[in-house]
């Protein structure tokens, strides 16, 4: 066993003495030692209850003959960090999480790991760590939040963010604002729609690293506790069979993840995290492949913010297994992939079926014949940009308009609130990329303000930053190269015409080449001042969004 490095033989007398200081018996030390990575903290609603999930996982490990050891990692709540300097620390926490898990699992050589996770950067950070370490691992998330209800309508955190713009435009009364505050987020769990946290929990299940139900069972349901116990027991089977993360995360399973991503209309952040996860597995993922998969995959599910359904509705409709069954019947899955069940995808979904065809549609009744995400190319984004096209209104799929240019998210929100943005504009927010921010902040504040003001049917927004999964509208992010790296977005001027053609995957700055060349010759990228510490180190090491914003090798 791997743990024998720290417990077996005469040279490990002091080590065993330290284990006995923890109260361990000789029998517990003889058993496989299983690390339980718990991201619980008291500030993220999706993590508030993770101690209960961890206790259930530990019970499962003990029932199956292992000895569990729990240790923590950090987490940032994107919703609470949104719209201020704190958001610069969200994406960059992903690498820190991966590093911290690697440190703990190498310093204390556990035989296997159970990852207790939820929310945006924590899930991909832990997946990256699992693939680096490549010891038997399994994931169990805290599960999605239930939607709130007000006057018979479902609410999610999107409603709270959009209330900012509506209140600023005097479209809501103070009491209506208070009601949204009180009812939008009714309890623990990752925010109720197909935002980044739930998108990544779904990707974890689809990729094969979480048990069926990992992405959709609500946080408050007893089935979530049972799932955690099953995960604790299953890790012992994975250890016995020596099934490791790199046996599961393969080019074929990543293909399945992207295919399901298109069918589900997940957060555009999956296009940031899946390449980083692939990189940790030693696999290169190309953005060009994403459009090919999107063209072949019907958009079958439309959850909040694109629609009114939430994760709990998808669970009741048959969950991800039912979605995968539909996709497999269309010949779009590579169903021979191994999963943490110890079985293949085909075996896992054999008995699945769609229980509610209004939530999981058929190909014939799909929201669109192609997928919910798209990669755009053009002189503004020669290395690509991403849009959640499943959340774009039909009238904004093709749009051309004058640029309103801002060098930060705050500048843009201030302009919106005083009416400087009007119908037809294309908002440009730059110097918010991985290096330029630094940290590649999410632009939920401006996108939700645009929607709350009723401009989402007439105003587009492009940025070298990124978007929350809760964003909707013609919101095009990950413009690569970013302004700080000399990208063309850095030389856009007020009033320049920008053309967006989502169906044809194009984004262009309609300015004469001679003028572009002249501007380029004089262009010196802005470098925002940052405090000494992690942000400064991150800026030096991080690569472009089109690579997944991974660190330089």
């Amino acid at each position: 066993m791997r743990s024998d490095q720290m417990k077996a033989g005469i040279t490990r007398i002091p080590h065993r003495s330290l284990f006995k200081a923890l109260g361990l018996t000789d029998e517990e030390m003889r058993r496989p030692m299983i690390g339980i990575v718990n991201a619980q903290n008291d500030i993220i609603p999706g993590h508030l209850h993770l101690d209960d999930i961890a206790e259930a996982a530990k019970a499962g490990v003990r029932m199956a003959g292992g000895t569990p050891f729990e240790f923590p990692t950090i987490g940032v709540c994107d919703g609470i960090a949104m719209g201020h300097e704190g958001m610069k620390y969200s994406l960059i926490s992903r690498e820190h999480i991966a590093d911290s898990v690697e440190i703990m699992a190498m310093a204390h050589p556990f035989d296997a790991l159970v990852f207790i996770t939820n929310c945006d950067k924590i899930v991909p950070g832990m997946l990256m760590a699992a693939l680096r370490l490549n010891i038997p691992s399994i994931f169990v998330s805290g599960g999605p939040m239930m939607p709130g209800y007000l006057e018979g309508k479902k609410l999610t955190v999107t409603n709270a963010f959009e209330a900012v713009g509506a209140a600023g435009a005097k479209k809501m009364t103070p009491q209506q604002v208070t009601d949204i505050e009180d009812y939008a987020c009714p309890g623990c769990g990752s925010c109720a729609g197909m935002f980044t946290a739930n998108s990544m929990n779904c990707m974890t299940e689809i990729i094969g690293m979480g048990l069926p139900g990992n992405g959709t069972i609500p946080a408050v349901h007893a089935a979530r506790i049972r799932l955690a116990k099953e995960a604790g027991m299953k890790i012992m089977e994975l250890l016995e069979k020596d099934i490791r993360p790199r046996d599961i995360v393969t080019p074929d399973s990543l293909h399945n993840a992207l295919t399901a991503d298109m069918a589900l209309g997940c957060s555009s952040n999956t296009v940031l995290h899946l390449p980083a996860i692939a990189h940790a597995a030693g696999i290169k993922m190309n953005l060009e492949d994403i459009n090919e998969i999107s063209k072949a995959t019907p958009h079958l599910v439309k959850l909040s913010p694109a629609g009114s359904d939430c994760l709990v509705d998808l669970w009741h409709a048959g969950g991800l297994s039912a979605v995968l069954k539909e996709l497999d019947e269309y010949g779009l899955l590579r169903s021979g992939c191994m999963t943490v069940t110890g079985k293949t995808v085909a075996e896992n979904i054999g008995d699945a079926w769609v229980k509610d065809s209004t939530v999981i549609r058929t190909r014939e009744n799909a929201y669109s014949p192609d997928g919910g995400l798209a990669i755009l190319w053009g002189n503004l984004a020669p290395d690509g940009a991403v849009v959640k096209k499943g959340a774009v209104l039909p009238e904004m799929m093709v749009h051309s308009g004058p640029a309103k240019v801002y060098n930060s998210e705050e500048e843009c929100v201030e302009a919106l609130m005083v009416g400087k943005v009007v119908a037809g504009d294309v908002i440009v927010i730059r110097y918010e990329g991985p290096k330029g921010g630094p940290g590649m902040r999410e632009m939920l504040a401006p996108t939700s303000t645009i929607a709350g003001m009723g401009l989402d049917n007439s105003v587009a927004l492009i940025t070298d930053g990124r978007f929350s999964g809760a964003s909707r509208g013609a919101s095009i992010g990950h413009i690569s190269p970013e302004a700080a790296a000399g990208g063309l977005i850095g030389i856009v001027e007020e009033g320049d015409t920008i053309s967006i053609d989502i169906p044809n995957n194009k984004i262009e700055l309609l300015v004469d080449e001679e003028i572009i060349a002249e501007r380029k010759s004089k262009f010196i990228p802005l470098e925002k001042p940052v405090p000494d510490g992690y942000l400064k180190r991150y800026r030096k090491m991080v690569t472009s969004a089109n690579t997944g914003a991974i660190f330089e090798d």
Side-chain angles (χ1 to χ4, degrees):
M1 288 189 292
R2 186 171 181 265
S3 61
D4 283 347
Q5 296 175 58
M6 59 180 174
K7 68 182 184 183
I10 193 169
T11 61
R12 297 298 180 254
I13 292 170
H15 302 64
R16 291 193 295 273
S17 180
L18 289 165
F19 278 126
K20 287 183 177 180
L22 298 173
L24 264 64
T25 65
D26 288 333
E27 172 58 28
E28 286 174 300
M29 281 189 281
R30 281 191 289 269
R31 294 179 177 184
M33 292 185 166
I34 312 300
I36 311 292
V37 190
N38 185 5
Q40 194 279 336
N41 62 53
D42 290 345
I43 197 165
I44 305 179
H47 290 211
L48 186 63
H49 62 307
L50 292 190
D51 280 345
D52 293 336
I53 303 295
E55 286 303 316
K58 288 192 284 186
V61 168
R62 291 189 184 102
M63 285 190 284
T67 299
F69 294 87
E70 183 179 338
F71 64 90
T73 188
I74 66 163
V76 172
C77 178
D78 278 25
I80 295 172
M82 194 72 66
H84 57 86
E85 289 294 296
M87 179 48 68
K88 292 183 177 181
Y89 289 85
S90 173
L91 178 61
I92 73 176
S93 71
R94 186 186 69 182
E95 270 57 34
H96 181 88
I97 289 162
D99 290 347
S100 67
V101 175
E102 178 187 348
I103 288 167
M104 286 294 291
M106 293 303 293
H108 316 96
F110 300 111
D111 296 300
L113 295 170
V114 179
F115 290 84
I116 312 297
T117 185
N118 229 13
C119 300
D120 298 26
K121 307 313 157 302
I122 298 92
V123 182
M126 286 186 172
L127 281 166
M128 290 160 66
L131 287 159
R132 284 186 203 170
L133 293 162
N134 201 35
I135 60 176
S137 300
I138 193 167
F139 282 65
V140 56
S141 79
M145 187 185 291
M146 296 293 287
Y149 289 90
L150 183 63
E151 297 176 356
K153 295 182 180 179
K154 290 176 190 168
L155 298 178
T156 70
V157 71
T158 298
N159 298 93
F161 275 100
E162 292 183 2
V164 175
K170 309 299 184 186
K171 293 184 176 183
M172 294 181 73
T173 67
Q175 184 57 53
Q176 288 174 320
V177 170
T178 299
D179 287 343
I180 294 279
E181 281 185 27
D182 290 346
Y183 295 107
C185 299
C188 67
S190 47
C191 297
M194 190 58 87
F195 313 137
T196 305
N198 289 324
S199 295
M200 290 312 302
N201 283 328
C202 288
M203 292 298 100
T204 301
E205 178 179 338
I206 292 158
I207 215 168
M209 290 298 294
L211 294 172
N214 181 71
T216 57
I217 297 172
V220 295
H221 202 287
R224 178 62 56 180
I225 297 297
R226 296 195 296 270
L227 186 78
K229 289 179 180 177
E230 291 167 6
M233 291 186 283
K234 185 62 67 174
I235 193 62
M236 301 304 293
E237 179 184 331
L238 295 171
L239 176 60
E240 181 182 355
K241 294 180 177 179
D242 196 28
I243 297 174
R244 301 178 181 230
R246 292 196 182 196
D247 300 323
I248 294 170
V249 180
T250 64
D252 283 348
S253 69
L254 288 166
H255 170 91
N256 290 344
L258 285 171
T259 299
D261 193 349
M262 299 306 159
L264 293 165
C266 291
S267 165
S268 59
N269 279 316
T270 58
V271 180
L272 194 66
H273 297 314
L274 287 175
I277 291 162
H279 180 265
I283 301 166
K284 182 171 176 57
M285 182 182 289
N286 295 314
L287 293 187
E288 291 88 347
D289 298 336
I290 293 174
N291 278 341
E292 292 304 311
I293 292 171
S294 181
K295 288 174 184 176
T297 308
H299 187 185
L300 305 179
V301 178
K302 188 172 277 197
L303 304 186
S304 175
S308 59
D309 291 326
C310 293
L311 266 291
V312 65
D313 302 301
L314 179 57
W315 180 53
H316 286 308
L320 297 175
S321 292
V323 175
L324 294 178
K325 186 70 174 285
E326 284 290 306
L327 295 173
D328 195 37
E329 289 179 359
Y330 306 147
L332 298 174
L333 281 193
R334 297 173 183 174
S335 55
C337 297
M338 177 55 62
T339 72
V340 290
T341 64
K343 300 176 182 178
T344 64
V345 172
E347 292 173 306
N348 289 345
I349 65 175
D351 296 328
W353 57 286
V354 175
K355 301 174 185 178
D356 187 343
S357 59
T358 67
V359 177
I360 304 173
R361 296 190 175 189
T362 63
R363 182 175 225 160
E364 294 70 28
N365 193 35
Y367 289 101
S368 66
D370 51 7
L373 293 176
I375 307 300
L376 308 186
W377 312 90
N379 64 353
L380 262 176
D383 293 336
V386 63
V387 61
K388 186 173 180 175
K389 69 176 184 178
V392 179
L393 292 171
E395 57 265 40
M396 291 299 293
M397 296 295 281
V398 177
H399 181 76
S400 182
K404 292 286 178 69
V405 183
Y406 307 101
N407 287 338
S408 71
E409 178 187 13
E410 289 83 357
E411 286 183 20
C412 175
V413 172
E414 182 180 342
L416 281 164
M417 297 302 284
V418 297
K420 290 185 177 179
V421 174
V422 298
D425 285 345
V426 177
I427 296 170
V428 177
I429 306 178
R430 59 194 179 194
Y431 296 107
E432 291 287 7
K435 287 184 182 294
M440 202 179 185
R441 291 193 290 178
E442 290 182 341
M443 303 289 111
L444 180 55
T447 59
S448 57
T449 302
I450 290 166
M453 295 174 73
L455 293 173
D456 56 322
N457 63 351
S458 60
V459 169
L461 189 157
I462 73 169
T463 180
D464 51 13
R466 60 195 178 91
F467 295 108
S468 164
S471 292
R472 61 186 176 95
S475 305
I476 298 160
H478 306 199
I479 298 283
S480 298
E482 62 177 293
L488 203 66
I489 190 173
I491 64 167
V492 177
E493 294 185 0
E494 196 87 3
D496 286 349
T497 300
I498 293 174
S499 172
I500 297 163
D501 185 347
I502 295 172
N504 289 303
N505 305 100
K506 292 181 179 179
I507 182 167
E508 296 281 343
L509 175 65
L510 301 183
V511 172
D512 288 344
E513 287 298 323
E514 289 182 3
I515 296 174
I516 289 175
E518 182 183 356
R519 290 183 191 175
K520 275 184 173 180
S521 68
K522 301 174 182 176
F523 178 47
I524 300 173
L526 173 69
E527 184 168 302
K528 294 179 179 177
V530 295
D532 289 339
Y534 194 41
L535 273 179
K536 188 167 282 189
R537 296 199 303 274
Y538 182 86
R539 172 184 275 170
K540 290 179 180 178
M541 295 185 290
V542 71
T543 60
S544 174
N546 67 300
T547 67
I550 58 174
F551 282 169
E552 295 277 5
D553 286 331

Short mmCIF file of all heavy atoms in Angstrom, two decimals, residues 141 144 205 210-218 224 227 315 320-321:
data_model
loop_
_atom_site.label_atom_id
_atom_site.label_comp_id
_atom_site.label_asym_id
_atom_site.label_seq_id
_atom_site.Cartn_x
_atom_site.Cartn_y
_atom_site.Cartn_z
N SER A 141 -20.03 15.82 -4.64
CA SER A 141 -20.29 17.24 -4.42
C SER A 141 -21.34 17.43 -3.34
O SER A 141 -22.04 16.48 -2.94
CB SER A 141 -20.76 17.90 -5.72
OG SER A 141 -22.13 17.64 -5.95
N PRO A 144 -26.76 20.78 -5.62
CA PRO A 144 -27.32 22.09 -5.92
C PRO A 144 -28.33 22.58 -4.89
O PRO A 144 -29.02 21.80 -4.24
CB PRO A 144 -28.00 21.87 -7.28
CG PRO A 144 -28.34 20.42 -7.30
CD PRO A 144 -27.24 19.73 -6.53
N GLU A 205 -19.46 14.25 -13.03
CA GLU A 205 -20.21 13.01 -13.18
C GLU A 205 -20.08 12.44 -14.59
O GLU A 205 -19.84 11.24 -14.78
CB GLU A 205 -21.69 13.26 -12.85
CG GLU A 205 -22.56 12.03 -13.03
CD GLU A 205 -24.04 12.27 -12.69
OE1 GLU A 205 -24.34 13.22 -11.94
OE2 GLU A 205 -24.88 11.51 -13.19
N GLY A 210 -17.41 11.10 -10.74
CA GLY A 210 -18.42 11.12 -9.68
C GLY A 210 -19.49 10.08 -9.97
O GLY A 210 -19.74 9.73 -11.13
N LEU A 211 -20.13 9.59 -8.94
CA LEU A 211 -21.18 8.58 -9.11
C LEU A 211 -22.40 9.20 -9.78
O LEU A 211 -22.62 10.41 -9.71
CB LEU A 211 -21.57 8.00 -7.75
CG LEU A 211 -20.51 7.18 -7.02
CD1 LEU A 211 -20.99 6.85 -5.61
CD2 LEU A 211 -20.17 5.90 -7.78
N PRO A 212 -23.25 8.39 -10.42
CA PRO A 212 -24.51 8.91 -10.97
C PRO A 212 -25.32 9.63 -9.89
O PRO A 212 -25.50 9.12 -8.79
CB PRO A 212 -25.23 7.65 -11.45
CG PRO A 212 -24.11 6.71 -11.81
CD PRO A 212 -23.05 6.96 -10.76
N GLY A 213 -25.76 10.83 -10.21
CA GLY A 213 -26.46 11.67 -9.24
C GLY A 213 -25.60 12.77 -8.68
O GLY A 213 -26.12 13.73 -8.08
N ASN A 214 -24.28 12.68 -8.87
CA ASN A 214 -23.38 13.68 -8.28
C ASN A 214 -23.73 15.10 -8.69
O ASN A 214 -23.64 16.03 -7.89
CB ASN A 214 -21.93 13.37 -8.69
CG ASN A 214 -20.94 14.36 -8.09
OD1 ASN A 214 -20.69 14.35 -6.90
ND2 ASN A 214 -20.37 15.23 -8.93
N GLY A 215 -24.15 15.29 -9.94
CA GLY A 215 -24.39 16.63 -10.43
C GLY A 215 -25.75 17.20 -10.12
O GLY A 215 -25.92 18.42 -10.20
N THR A 216 -26.74 16.36 -9.77
CA THR A 216 -28.12 16.85 -9.75
C THR A 216 -28.89 16.60 -8.45
O THR A 216 -29.89 17.28 -8.22
CB THR A 216 -28.92 16.21 -10.91
OG1 THR A 216 -28.86 14.78 -10.81
CG2 THR A 216 -28.39 16.66 -12.26
N ILE A 217 -28.50 15.65 -7.62
CA ILE A 217 -29.24 15.42 -6.37
C ILE A 217 -29.16 16.67 -5.50
O ILE A 217 -28.07 17.16 -5.22
CB ILE A 217 -28.68 14.21 -5.60
CG1 ILE A 217 -28.84 12.92 -6.40
CG2 ILE A 217 -29.38 14.07 -4.24
CD1 ILE A 217 -28.13 11.73 -5.78
N PRO A 218 -30.30 17.23 -5.07
CA PRO A 218 -30.26 18.48 -4.29
C PRO A 218 -29.47 18.34 -2.99
O PRO A 218 -29.43 17.27 -2.37
CB PRO A 218 -31.75 18.75 -4.00
CG PRO A 218 -32.49 18.02 -5.07
CD PRO A 218 -31.68 16.80 -5.36
N ARG A 224 -28.43 12.69 -1.10
CA ARG A 224 -27.07 13.25 -1.17
C ARG A 224 -26.18 12.62 -0.10
O ARG A 224 -25.00 12.31 -0.35
CB ARG A 224 -27.15 14.77 -1.00
CG ARG A 224 -25.85 15.52 -1.00
CD ARG A 224 -25.05 15.42 -2.25
NE ARG A 224 -25.72 15.82 -3.48
CZ ARG A 224 -25.16 15.80 -4.68
NH1 ARG A 224 -23.91 15.37 -4.83
NH2 ARG A 224 -25.83 16.16 -5.76
N LEU A 227 -25.45 9.11 -1.18
CA LEU A 227 -24.45 9.12 -2.25
C LEU A 227 -23.05 9.25 -1.68
O LEU A 227 -22.11 8.58 -2.15
CB LEU A 227 -24.73 10.28 -3.21
CG LEU A 227 -23.87 10.35 -4.47
CD1 LEU A 227 -24.36 9.34 -5.50
CD2 LEU A 227 -23.88 11.75 -5.07
N TRP A 315 -32.96 16.70 -12.15
CA TRP A 315 -32.89 15.46 -11.35
C TRP A 315 -34.20 14.69 -11.44
O TRP A 315 -34.20 13.48 -11.70
CB TRP A 315 -32.56 15.82 -9.89
CG TRP A 315 -32.46 14.65 -8.97
CD1 TRP A 315 -31.67 13.54 -9.13
CD2 TRP A 315 -33.16 14.47 -7.73
NE1 TRP A 315 -31.82 12.68 -8.06
CE2 TRP A 315 -32.73 13.22 -7.19
CE3 TRP A 315 -34.07 15.23 -7.03
CZ2 TRP A 315 -33.21 12.73 -5.98
CZ3 TRP A 315 -34.55 14.75 -5.82
CH2 TRP A 315 -34.13 13.52 -5.31
N LEU A 320 -28.58 13.30 -15.21
CA LEU A 320 -27.61 13.27 -16.29
C LEU A 320 -27.59 11.93 -17.01
O LEU A 320 -27.30 11.87 -18.20
CB LEU A 320 -26.23 13.61 -15.75
CG LEU A 320 -26.08 15.01 -15.15
CD1 LEU A 320 -24.70 15.18 -14.54
CD2 LEU A 320 -26.33 16.09 -16.19
N SER A 321 -27.91 10.86 -16.29
CA SER A 321 -27.93 9.55 -16.94
C SER A 321 -28.95 9.52 -18.06
O SER A 321 -28.70 8.92 -19.13
CB SER A 321 -28.26 8.45 -15.91
OG SER A 321 -27.20 8.30 -14.98
#
